Amino acid sequence: PQELQFINDFLNQGSGGLFLLLDPHPAPSFDSLLKPWGVSADNDLVLDVSGAGRLMGTGPSIPLVLNYENHAITDRFKAMTFFPLTRSIQPEKSIPAGLTVDTLFKSNDNSWGETNLGTREASYDPTKDLKGPLSLAVAVTKEIKPSSDKGPAAKARMVVMGTSNFPINAYFPQQGNGNLFLNIVSWLAQD
């Protein structure tokens, strides 16, 4: 809790940004940090059964993304990316005032968020699982101090993604993963 408070205080000073990569269960809960920033991390594992992953030699546990939402991070971004062992990350239904929370990209229509993580067999259960497409990453902006004649605006920025595997060395040079990672870092640095 103390470290989460340090991070929250840092962001609320408008000092920079945070790139938070949350793995699926049993990753620790960051609800106390994320909820005030308008972000919800679902307790699921996104599975993509479209068959597109087989073209890349992967399976359902590695959703592929071909389409991106409108945001500075994904502006003119056309490359395919993939997200091994990811959970869904959604904007909260009610966003606190002063925040902008944007979905960056989603899984495809033939995906779901598997919530029964204690079994080796996965099947879509409409009463428990989340139906795709599902948001896999969000970008949050909070204006801390508006611009004035004394200086520019101070903004806090955060990107939350459902896997820590997407930028590792094995996947960084694959398809668009490295470029997307660099776009995120540049946006967080307000560059």
Side-chain angles (χ1 to χ4, degrees):
Q2 183 181 12
E3 290 159 341
L4 291 177
Q5 188 60 50
F6 288 149
I7 292 169
N8 198 44
D9 292 346
F10 170 77
L11 289 170
N12 278 310
Q13 292 172 8
S15 303
L18 173 67
F19 191 9
L20 188 57
L21 304 167
L22 298 176
D23 287 322
H25 182 75
S29 174
F30 286 88
D31 287 345
S32 64
L33 174 69
L34 296 177
K35 190 169 177 106
W37 288 86
V39 178
S40 172
D42 296 318
N43 192 21
D44 63 356
L45 176 67
V46 178
L47 299 175
D48 176 352
V49 293
S50 67
R54 281 185 243 148
L55 298 173
M56 299 295 299
T58 67
S61 64
I62 303 179
L64 300 178
V65 174
L66 300 169
N67 299 307
Y68 303 88
E69 303 297 316
N70 188 22
H71 191 273
I73 291 172
T74 57
D75 185 40
R76 297 182 312 226
F77 196 81
K78 303 288 184 215
M80 177 175 48
T81 52
F82 55 97
F83 302 89
L85 301 174
T86 190
R87 73 191 317 167
S88 56
I89 304 291
Q90 315 272 350
E92 283 279 343
K93 292 186 182 6
S94 176
I95 306 291
L99 292 174
T100 303
V101 182
D102 297 309
T103 294
L104 295 176
F105 44 85
K106 297 178 180 180
S107 62
N108 65 51
D109 291 339
N110 294 319
S111 65
W112 79 87
E114 178 65 45
T115 57
N116 185 5
L117 303 176
T119 182
R120 297 182 65 76
E121 296 293 322
S123 62
Y124 177 65
D125 180 346
T127 63
K128 296 179 184 174
D129 297 330
L130 305 172
K131 176 77 175 108
L134 297 168
S135 173
L136 302 179
V138 297
V140 182
T141 306
K142 180 179 184 179
E143 188 170 325
I144 304 297
K145 179 187 80 161
S147 62
S148 68
D149 55 347
K150 296 181 182 179
K155 293 182 180 180
R157 291 182 174 185
M158 178 189 313
V159 171
V160 183
M161 189 173 289
T163 181
S164 65
N165 290 317
F166 120 92
I168 64 173
N169 290 344
Y171 300 130
F172 192 85
Q174 304 297 321
Q175 300 300 322
N177 282 31
N179 287 338
L180 181 62
F181 176 81
L182 294 174
N183 284 3
I184 291 168
V185 171
S186 294
W187 182 78
L188 288 169
Q190 301 186 34
D191 185 8

